[in-house]
Amino acid sequence: MGGVIATGVRATARIVAREDGRGGTALPVLEGDGPLALRRIRATGSEARVMLVGAMSGPLGGDHFGVEAGVERGARLRVGSAAATIALPGQAKGESRYDVRLRVDEDGELHWLPEQLISVCGSDLRVTTRVDLAASARLVLREEQVLGRAGEEPGRLTSRLTLRIGGRTVLDQELACGPGAPGGWDGPAVLAGHRAVGQLVVVRPEFTQEPPVARMLGECAALAPLAGPAVLVTAVAADGLRLRRVLDEALVALG
């Protein structure tokens, strides 16, 4: 009798935001799939707000999740998540994947603010986030990774973030942490023993004329202008709570 072969879950959630002609933003596409559920929540002004709700644990080993969001000309969208994403080991072998694809057209605005990603011991997750913006688009994007739960060693986590503005790549970076990652990931040149790492990307057309100045933001965070109307804040911290505080303070400092 043959053994049962475990396979991972495949799921994709899709969002499209569009001006509704009355000063607001409509959501003609709001489709959840499997463990990825989407809910529209109350908003004010011209902005639409969406919450990503995990209907199951995961991603587990072998799972492949995806989220796609498109903001059409002049629309405004804010996306958050109801809880942290927890990468877990599963019955299926091999790495799990979480792919995020974001697009913002001319004069559109997207705030992408999910909760933290926690890499649990024994997990193996690859996250890719690709953002394609028109030249006049606006973006606030936050990514936060926590390596292991309290008192726990992390799993393997690889995270890649790519940003294009007006067809030009202005940021393409990758970080690998945990067992099997290139040596030095926990050393003084990378995480220096910290267990939480995050990025904040802010894109505003006015940065073309008045780019923020590169500077340190305390002891464990730095602001760097990018080759376009964008800035990148990178931070490390002892835990997720302190990381969030640092990134929130950076966003306030940018106005």
Side-chain angles (χ1 to χ4, degrees):
M1 183 175 179
V4 177
I5 300 176
T7 58
V9 174
R10 303 291 186 269
T12 303
R14 297 179 178 85
I15 309 168
V16 173
R18 179 180 299 161
E19 278 191 312
D20 64 6
R22 303 186 301 275
T25 297
L27 298 172
V29 177
L30 191 64
E31 300 175 348
D33 184 17
L36 301 175
L38 297 171
R39 301 287 183 266
R40 182 165 189 167
I41 60 176
R42 185 181 297 275
T44 59
S46 60
E47 181 183 75
R49 294 191 177 188
V50 173
M51 190 69 69
L52 179 62
V53 181
M56 296 169 52
S57 297
L60 306 175
D63 289 352
H64 190 170
F65 293 175
V67 181
E68 301 171 1
V71 180
E72 298 184 356
R73 178 184 291 269
R76 298 181 62 203
L77 175 65
R78 180 182 295 262
V79 180
S81 57
T85 297
I86 303 178
L88 297 163
Q91 291 183 335
K93 300 299 182 182
E95 70 176 11
S96 52
R97 295 184 58 90
Y98 202 126
D99 297 324
V100 177
R101 304 290 180 263
L102 309 176
R103 188 197 79 250
V104 187
D105 295 342
E106 295 289 346
D107 301 319
E109 182 172 344
L110 172 63
H111 287 230
W112 187 262
L113 302 169
E115 292 301 310
Q116 296 168 338
L117 168 63
I118 301 173
S119 174
V120 169
C121 183
S123 65
D124 185 359
L125 176 64
R126 175 177 291 272
V127 180
T128 60
T129 302
R130 298 179 184 173
V131 188
D132 205 327
L133 305 181
S136 62
R138 293 173 176 269
L139 174 74
V140 175
L141 179 147
R142 182 183 69 213
E143 286 192 343
E144 300 168 306
Q145 293 97 29
V146 178
L147 305 180
R149 294 170 292 196
E152 176 186 67
E153 289 299 310
R156 170 85 181 256
L157 176 62
T158 304
S159 177
R160 184 170 182 176
L161 172 60
T162 306
L163 171 66
R164 290 169 55 86
I165 303 176
R168 179 187 181 191
T169 299
V170 300
L171 175 67
D172 191 352
Q173 68 175 21
E174 181 172 290
L175 176 65
C177 304
W185 67 269
D186 200 24
V190 188
L191 297 188
H194 294 89
R195 282 296 179 263
V197 58
Q199 296 78 234
L200 179 70
V201 178
V202 180
V203 180
R204 296 175 183 158
E206 55 265 33
F207 286 166
T208 301
Q209 302 299 323
E210 298 183 11
V213 178
R215 61 188 186 274
M216 293 297 296
L217 302 173
E219 296 183 359
C220 298
L223 183 151
L226 300 177
V231 297
L232 170 68
V233 176
T234 303
V236 294
D239 54 49
L241 182 61
R242 297 180 191 181
L243 177 66
R244 175 65 58 84
R245 185 180 302 123
V246 170
L247 295 180
D248 284 349
E249 290 173 353
L251 188 56
V252 170
L254 287 168

